[in-house]
Amino acid sequence: MSSHHYSPVDAEDLPGSYRYRQKTLQRWRFSMFLSFAAGVVVCMIAYPRLLPCKACAPCEKASPPVNVADVASRAAQIAVSKCPACPACPECQHKPCPACELSCPKIPECPSIAAAPAASQPDDAEVVARHRTKMLARDMVNIAECKPGQVCRADALNRSRVIGQKGITLWMTGLSGSGKTTIAEALERRLLYKLGKNVFRIDGDNLRTGLTKDLGFSPDDRAESVRRASHVAALFSEAGVITMVTLISPYRKDRDAARALHEKQGIPFMEVFMDVPLSVVQARDPKGLYKKVAKGLIKGFTGVDAPYEAPLHAELTLKNSELPVEQCVDQLVMALTAAGALSGHAMPDGLTPPDGGVHINRITTAPEALLARRKEAETLPKVPLTDIDVNWLQVVGEGWAAPLRGFMREGTLVQTLHFNSVLHDPNNVTGDYNSATTDWMQSSFPRERVSSPVPIVLPVTDFTRRQIAGAGAVALTNAAGVALAILRSPEVYELRVRELIHRTFGMTDDEHPYVKELLKPGKDYAVGGEVELLGKITYNDGLDAYRLTAEELRAAFKAKGADVVYAFQTRNPTHAGHAFLMKDSRQKLMARGYKKPVLWLSPLGGWTKASDVPLDVRVKQHQEVMAAGELHPDWTVMAIWPSPMIYAGPTEVQFHAKSRRAGGASYFTVGRDPAGMPYSSDGPGHEEGDDIYHPDHGRYALMSSPGVGGMQFLGFSKVYYDKKDHTMRGKDESRPDDFISISGSKMRKLAALAAKPCPPTIPSDLIASKCIPPGFMVQKGWEIVSDYYIRQKTGDWVPYSKQLGGLPLAPNMRSSAEQPFGKVAFTAHFVGADGAQISPWHNLALYPTASEPSFVNFVCEIPRGATAKLEVQKEKPFNPIMQDTKKGALRYYTYGASFFNYGMLPQTWEDPAKKGFNGTVGDNDPLDVMDLSSRTCKVGEMRKVKILGDLELIDQGELDHKIIVVDAEDPLAASASSAADLPAGVVPKIRSP
């Protein structure tokens, strides 16, 4: 036999090696010998019993005496006739090739009997296959398996939450040499070493050493191999392991059976097709198998002379002959992320989940439930909210601070201040830890921790603390006294403001704008608890269409076909530099394999410092940028992010990123000095105007933060204006003179100067030239920004998300829709029956009737629960009701929510000639009135009230007389004739603020 070169072959495609054939030949020779010997013995015993042979005519005569030698000879012939066929000689590289020849003598047939046809006998593999099919089809009895609705193992959802990943089977199929193993190994390294995920790879080699060692390569055996692999993979995946199966698995029906098994058990299954042409894998030929096929040394090779049925509906197709390995791995990681496998949380919309994996939405929307809760809120103690508090309420109520469901309890605040994170108990193994009152002696804690960089607290005064003591729930009200939410199981605790400032900001600057807000009087305590919003929070400022909840925003992304979302936050107008960064980020994502990256242009909507560009100016400017196609509407969603700005640099930017995950963003574009600002005052080691935080620290802290979860970042450095091609980009150091830095302060100066387009030759000093270079900003957008800076002091702007309107007005009152309550110019005029303006002070009567001097007319200025300092304006014609201001800012009562209606008596005034006990004199204003009725009044409403007495109170350092009255229709009017008749505690309560 000629010698052939031999090398190890793939166990899937060549049924044996030289060593295996040699052992088979030896076993055959030994078995032949035993068969021969056994045959001789059996025939010597049995042959005499079979004579005479009635089937052969010549043998019908009487048998002669038995001759032992003849019997032995005949037995040998029979034994030899039963010898098996010789096995084929194996391919080998040894000379000479071992002989495998054996002469099997023929036994002459009986001359009178025709030879009967030999019955075909099934081979062992066929017998085994038939038996296996029969056994797999039998009914299973006495098997303890989970029944529907029965809990016999930890469910997959809770298991995945606990271990931080979701089990899934990646079935990677393709021709030999199509890259299954190479890509699977690279994916395994990425998942295990970089992402810290538990992953395991099942392939033909680790199966055939044990689990499928008894199988060959027939179609039946291949199907059984796939069946066993699919069951093993399902068990691994059910345990939460990301399981990769890398088998050629050429038959579609076998792969479909594997899919069906997973679907039946509710286990995610992803078919990954390595779509590589035959010519490419033949050229790769990593094991030299295709060369052997070409020489005819291997028969029945998959894809050549045996079928391979490509998937029809694979979840992912990798043409890895056209892509580098790392890009293939990127696509697999993207697919696993979209399936929720890398977070352990459900992702029904395919977008990244929020912290904790649970979408938080505390908005009551069902009409019946909303009506019931609003009625409940009317009966509850009130906690008034500032503009900043309303912003934070929207943040927690709409899920932007997930898993937080309300204002922080004290334990949550302590964790936030010390760890920038909080413990989370999604499986409630610690007794509703996330909504329980803080227990300082608690010893058992949840194991999961999520990002919580900034404190979200609700400060209250001591008066409010006393008002809500012992309450099981409180109503959260805005400046108009309208209930926005109910807070359940309130936890009131001392608010250590200085500790909060130092831990959050890491500096000392009492003039810092947000610090200054925290240091205002009346923030001695805080109340924490979970909230229920009484409908979606709106602001009535013309921008509500851009205020999408987290759920609405995710739906908007999916409507645009997003396979990934990246967010860009801005509290400044968008210029070409910003647009360059956003478009460049999109190109980077597409280079990673994403097909439809969608940008979330995310203007910050909450409270900002006075020098920042107003929200309405920014939104309108963004609209023009999108309309001009600079940021195309097909791949851009503009939606206001509701949080206030606290200017806490590296700490705050972590919250910005965390919150964007709640909206579905997987990537966050971050630049220099995010959330930073200069010092606002001189202090130890710094001067006013110095940067509080290093410009590079915020981005670095964010990108290295342990609490970023699955979010990734697209960092960028400073961009410049290129005078040559009129675009914004990174500086080319080979021609530095061609680049101009246009900072935010320079842009503001140019806008205030109403800068016009520059001449063709761009000057280096734009301020001196009073020109704006072409391409720096969309022209209509620039006009909006310039208009703002020109009319900054005189225009009517929306500085941030501040609720407008909502103040209940009496039918006889008129106000301008353009100047609703909440704006400085809000004015409510009184009108008579003929519609003409009248003065409530001079034109309304003091007494309803002359015969009842103990009853007077009361004009309501501030409804019960409202905190806006509203009053009749004695200097204005017709004395309309307006809100007081101080240095251009609206004034509010800060002690808490009033439990009375506040107003005035017509045709009365405090006499300036009279002095009080503290030396103060009357202010010539109408007499102030406190109405203790149970019914809330409307602004401008006039009621008949009963006078109960007069209290002297010190109001902001001035002596004020407060007339105590009760509505004539209130039940209290029948029983009370003076303040002494009021229920116990009412008068001290009035005095206490």
Side-chain angles (χ1 to χ4, degrees), residues 771-849:
C771 73
I772 192 76
F776 173 71
M777 187 180 292
V778 171
Q779 183 59 33
K780 288 187 177 180
W782 174 253
E783 292 170 2
I784 291 171
V785 174
S786 183
D787 176 65
Y788 162 69
Y789 281 105
I790 292 171
R791 299 191 303 114
Q792 186 173 3
K793 302 296 184 183
T794 60
D796 184 18
W797 316 108
V798 178
Y800 53 84
S801 294
K802 171 187 172 65
Q803 287 196 309
L804 302 178
L807 190 69
L809 298 180
N812 60 304
M813 302 298 290
R814 301 290 182 270
S815 66
S816 168
E818 288 74 28
Q819 299 296 331
F821 169 70
K823 289 196 170 187
V824 172
F826 165 72
T827 305
H829 289 279
F830 290 76
V831 296
D834 59 356
Q837 291 185 9
I838 61 173
S839 165
W841 193 10
H842 302 295
N843 298 128
L844 299 181
L846 174 61
Y847 296 101
T849 62

Side-chain angles (χ1 to χ4, degrees), residues 479-481 806-814 821 826-831 839-841 844-846 856-873 878-883 893 898-908 926-945 963 965-967:
L807 190 69
L809 298 180
N812 60 304
M813 302 298 290
R814 301 290 182 270
F821 169 70
F826 165 72
T827 305
H829 289 279
F830 290 76
V831 296
S839 165
W841 193 10
L844 299 181
L846 174 61
V856 295
N857 285 325
F858 160 71
V859 177
C860 176
E861 293 172 308
I862 306 174
R864 182 177 56 179
T867 57
K869 192 172 176 57
L870 297 161
E871 62 182 10
V872 167
Q873 302 295 306
F878 298 104
N879 311 118
I881 292 179
M882 299 179 68
Q883 186 170 350
Y893 290 106
S898 62
F899 60 94
F900 48 81
N901 297 310
Y902 196 86
M904 47 82 70
L905 297 181
Q907 301 191 27
T908 64
L927 292 177
D928 295 330
V929 178
M930 292 180 173
D931 170 27
L932 303 181
S933 304
S934 58
R935 184 165 60 96
T936 302
C937 69
K938 295 180 179 180
V939 174
E941 179 183 358
M942 186 169 72
R943 290 181 180 179
K944 177 183 176 181
V945 297
I963 310 300
V965 303
V966 65
D967 190 333

Side-chain angles (χ1 to χ4, degrees), residues 64-364:
V66 175
N67 186 308
V68 175
D70 291 341
V71 170
S73 176
R74 185 64 182 270
Q77 289 179 331
I78 294 173
V80 172
S81 70
K82 300 297 184 180
C83 70
C86 297
C89 185
E91 304 289 343
C92 62
Q93 54 189 342
H94 301 285
K95 293 184 179 181
C97 183
C100 56
E101 299 174 356
L102 182 66
S103 297
C104 299
K106 304 283 185 176
I107 297 178
E109 297 180 357
C110 185
S112 61
I113 303 296
S120 62
Q121 296 294 325
D123 60 19
D124 290 346
E126 185 178 351
V127 172
V128 171
R130 288 178 182 176
H131 177 71
R132 184 168 56 232
T133 302
K134 178 181 177 181
M135 295 299 290
L136 290 175
R138 77 191 192 281
D139 293 332
M140 304 299 290
V141 295
N142 301 322
I143 301 297
E145 184 61 38
C146 280
K147 297 178 181 179
Q150 180 182 3
V151 178
C152 55
R153 288 191 294 271
D155 65 274
L157 178 60
N158 284 332
R159 183 189 298 274
S160 62
R161 284 177 175 173
V162 170
I163 66 177
Q165 67 179 64
K166 184 191 297 182
I168 186 173
T169 294
L170 294 180
W171 196 279
M172 307 174 79
T173 177
L175 297 172
S176 177
S178 61
K180 300 183 298 298
T181 299
T182 300
I183 292 174
E185 288 176 347
L187 176 62
E188 185 176 30
R189 289 192 296 271
R190 172 87 67 87
L191 294 177
L192 183 61
Y193 298 123
K194 188 172 183 179
L195 302 180
K197 301 303 176 184
N198 191 4
V199 58
F200 189 73
R201 181 164 50 90
I202 298 173
D203 58 23
D205 291 337
N206 58 19
L207 287 177
R208 289 195 178 279
T209 56
L211 193 62
T212 62
K213 190 175 182 179
D214 60 321
L215 299 179
F217 297 90
S218 67
D220 284 338
D221 280 6
R222 283 181 178 270
E224 175 62 10
S225 176
V226 170
R227 188 191 71 82
R228 294 182 190 181
S230 63
H231 275 274
V232 172
L235 289 173
F236 272 76
S237 296
E238 186 180 10
V241 179
I242 299 170
T243 308
M244 297 178 289
V245 180
T246 56
L247 295 178
I248 292 176
S249 45
Y251 300 114
R252 194 175 296 129
K253 64 179 180 61
D254 298 336
R255 299 193 303 269
D256 290 346
R259 178 190 295 276
L261 169 70
H262 283 71
E263 290 176 349
K264 181 180 179 181
Q265 298 183 20
I267 299 171
F269 182 91
M270 185 182 299
E271 190 174 27
V272 181
F273 176 34
M274 299 298 172
D275 187 5
V276 182
L278 178 61
S279 59
V280 175
V281 297
Q282 287 175 327
R284 290 177 177 174
D285 200 9
K287 300 177 182 179
L289 301 181
Y290 289 100
K291 291 183 177 67
K292 292 182 179 296
V293 172
K295 294 178 180 179
L297 303 180
I298 304 176
K299 301 295 183 182
F301 196 84
T302 302
V304 181
D305 52 355
Y308 176 80
E309 299 170 357
L312 299 178
H313 306 290
E315 280 77 5
L316 185 62
T317 297
L318 293 178
K319 296 180 180 293
N320 64 65
S321 59
E322 304 171 6
L323 301 171
V325 171
E326 282 305 306
Q327 195 164 333
C328 292
V329 172
D330 287 342
Q331 293 193 33
L332 285 164
V333 171
M334 287 161 45
L336 290 171
T337 301
L342 302 186
S343 66
H345 301 300
M347 298 177 63
D349 53 12
L351 301 177
T352 187
D355 273 352
V358 179
H359 298 271
I360 303 298
N361 184 349
R362 308 291 292 175
I363 305 173
T364 304

Side-chain angles (χ1 to χ4, degrees), residues 959-973:
L959 178 66
D960 267 354
H961 285 268
K962 307 297 181 184
I963 310 300
I964 308 301
V965 303
V966 65
D967 190 333
E969 298 180 4
D970 193 281
L972 186 61

Side-chain angles (χ1 to χ4, degrees), residues 483-549:
L484 302 180
I486 294 175
L487 185 146
R488 305 285 183 187
S489 303
E491 177 183 340
V492 182
Y493 55 92
E494 180 186 359
L495 184 61
R496 302 169 67 85
V497 176
R498 282 292 181 184
E499 179 185 356
L500 184 151
I501 292 170
H502 292 153
R503 285 280 179 184
T504 304
F505 297 89
M507 57 84 187
T508 301
D509 181 6
D510 287 358
E511 293 301 312
H512 180 285
Y514 196 81
V515 170
K516 199 171 184 178
E517 291 291 323
L518 290 172
L519 292 175
K520 285 182 176 179
K523 300 184 186 297
D524 304 315
Y525 298 89
V527 57
E530 292 64 52
V531 300
E532 298 169 3
L533 299 190
L534 305 182
K536 182 180 176 180
I537 292 178
T538 56
Y539 293 87
N540 193 35
D541 56 1
L543 303 176
D544 283 330
Y546 298 102
R547 293 186 176 95
L548 305 182
T549 66

